[in-house]
Amino acid sequence: MNDTIKDRLIIFDTTLRDGEQSPGAAMTKEEKIRIARQLERLGVDVIEAGFAAASPGDADAIKAIAQIVQNSTVCSLARANEKDVRAAGEAIRPAKSGRIHTFIATSPIHMEKKLRMQPDQVVEAAVKAVKMALEYTDNVEFSAEDAVRSEMDFLCRVFDAVIKAGAKTINVPDTVGYSIPGLWGERIRQLVERVPNSDKVIWSTHCHNDLGLAVANSLAAVMNGARQVECTINGLGERAGNASLEEVVMAVKTRRDVFTCDSRIDTTQIVPTSKLVSTITGYPVQPNKAIVGANAFAHESGIHPGWRAQASRDL
Ligand code: KIV
Ligand code: ZN
């Protein structure tokens, strides 16, 4: 693992995958390509371009993005099964830099009710999926879906097993947007401390915004060792959305006194990206939305600095 990356906050954008799950936000292949090109311009490290096994259209769009994008890693999501992993592997094949992101649920409720699998079977499926993904790329990410409601000992066991299998990024999602910052930071800190070889992987977080805390939880994770944040432009995503990319990036950049890492995002591209995603998806940006809203930090007397203006300049 490259040591310099430890001080880099990796920005993993999932606008085209988790964001697209917002009702009515489905995009055509051409629209996805336009957004992917803009995400590359923005300086996003990883573009999650879709979920290849979901449909031939999804796979086709990922493949097209993988052919075009040169400066960002192009990723496909895959459940931890052979069909999904192979579909993801084929879709990212043309990429200069490609990643497979495989996941399986690890909470008792999901394992029992959704997967109908025993914990041992979940560990086995996770390891098998990671090993299969490595046939296509050495850049494999593993997510423990519903990590927020998973038992700590079991999470440690799954992560230990997938790291041994070769996963390079370990993602800890708050799938249902249930956590609060102090607890989420503590969960990440404990995982980093307890999981063997945790220093050999990048720890990642993926927070949903059901309690309006997705950005706060993501930042708490960063303060406790996470070096990848999964987020979307304008916080797009199903239900209350995902962590907003622009808020995470600007918080880390603005509070350099607090954070020991920074992203490589070109902040001059934040507002154009926000506008493009809003236009294509038809999801308007509320005027008082932090960073990209039309009124964000505007002040009648003009005394206070406008962060929206700063997000249009390079800080
Ligand atoms: O919210 C979630 O758990 C996800 C996973 C697939 C990472 O989107
Ligand atoms: Zn999600």
Side-chain angles (χ1 to χ4, degrees), residues 17-18 21 175 206 208 238 242:
R17 199 278 298 170
D18 226 353
Q21 284 172 353
T175 303
H206 174 118
H208 281 268
E238 61 181 335
N242 289 62

Side-chain angles (χ1 to χ4, degrees), residues 21 26 48 50 65 68 109 129 144 189 193 219 250 262 271 299:
Q21 284 172 353
E48 188 164 55
I65 290 167
I68 292 165
I109 186 168
R189 193 190 66 72
E193 200 174 280
L219 295 175
M250 291 306 290
D262 198 4
V271 170
H299 191 272

Side-chain angles (χ1 to χ4, degrees), residues 250-270:
M250 291 306 290
V252 169
K253 192 167 277 299
T254 305
R255 295 305 306 264
R256 284 189 178 134
D257 55 328
V258 175
F259 294 97
T260 57
C261 56
D262 198 4
S263 73
R264 66 174 190 102
I265 292 295
D266 175 356
T267 56
T268 66
Q269 293 297 322
I270 286 179

Side-chain angles (χ1 to χ4, degrees), residues 274-295:
S274 163
K275 286 186 172 155
L276 180 68
V277 169
S278 174
T279 305
I280 287 178
T281 59
Y283 270 68
V285 175
Q286 72 193 59
N288 57 337
K289 160 86 173 65
I291 313 299
V292 291
N295 302 344

Side-chain angles (χ1 to χ4, degrees), residues 126-149:
V127 166
K128 210 168 146 190
V130 168
K131 287 186 176 163
M132 196 180 296
L134 287 166
E135 293 173 24
Y136 297 89
T137 171
D138 62 2
N139 191 343
V140 175
E141 170 172 339
F142 173 79
S143 280
E145 189 186 17
D146 205 20
V148 67
R149 293 186 293 178

Side-chain angles (χ1 to χ4, degrees), residues 25-89:
M27 299 168 229
T28 65
K29 176 172 144 186
E30 284 64 38
E31 288 169 339
K32 287 183 182 179
I33 291 171
R34 276 177 71 199
I35 290 178
R37 284 189 198 276
Q38 181 58 31
L39 292 172
E40 184 181 28
R41 214 169 288 131
L42 179 65
V44 158
D45 298 286
V46 185
I47 299 172
E48 188 164 55
F51 185 178
S55 71
D58 263 56
D60 195 35
I62 298 167
K63 210 175 282 179
I65 290 167
Q67 276 160 357
I68 292 165
V69 166
Q70 296 295 308
N71 298 316
S72 306
T73 295
V74 177
C75 173
S76 171
L77 186 68
R79 283 166 300 192
N81 65 55
E82 176 163 6
K83 177 179 152 281
D84 276 35
V85 172
R86 297 223 180 275

Side-chain angles (χ1 to χ4, degrees), residues 114-171:
K114 186 174 82 166
L115 299 175
R116 298 186 193 285
M117 284 166 80
Q118 295 299 317
D120 285 354
Q121 295 175 299
V122 167
V123 177
E124 197 186 323
V127 166
K128 210 168 146 190
V130 168
K131 287 186 176 163
M132 196 180 296
L134 287 166
E135 293 173 24
Y136 297 89
T137 171
D138 62 2
N139 191 343
V140 175
E141 170 172 339
F142 173 79
S143 280
E145 189 186 17
D146 205 20
V148 67
R149 293 186 293 178
S150 301
E151 285 164 7
M152 197 60 178
D153 287 351
F154 184 61
L155 265 187
C156 289
R157 182 179 157 206
V158 176
F159 289 153
D160 181 19
V162 296
I163 292 170
K164 283 198 181 103
K168 295 286 192 311
T169 301
I170 300 297
N171 184 40

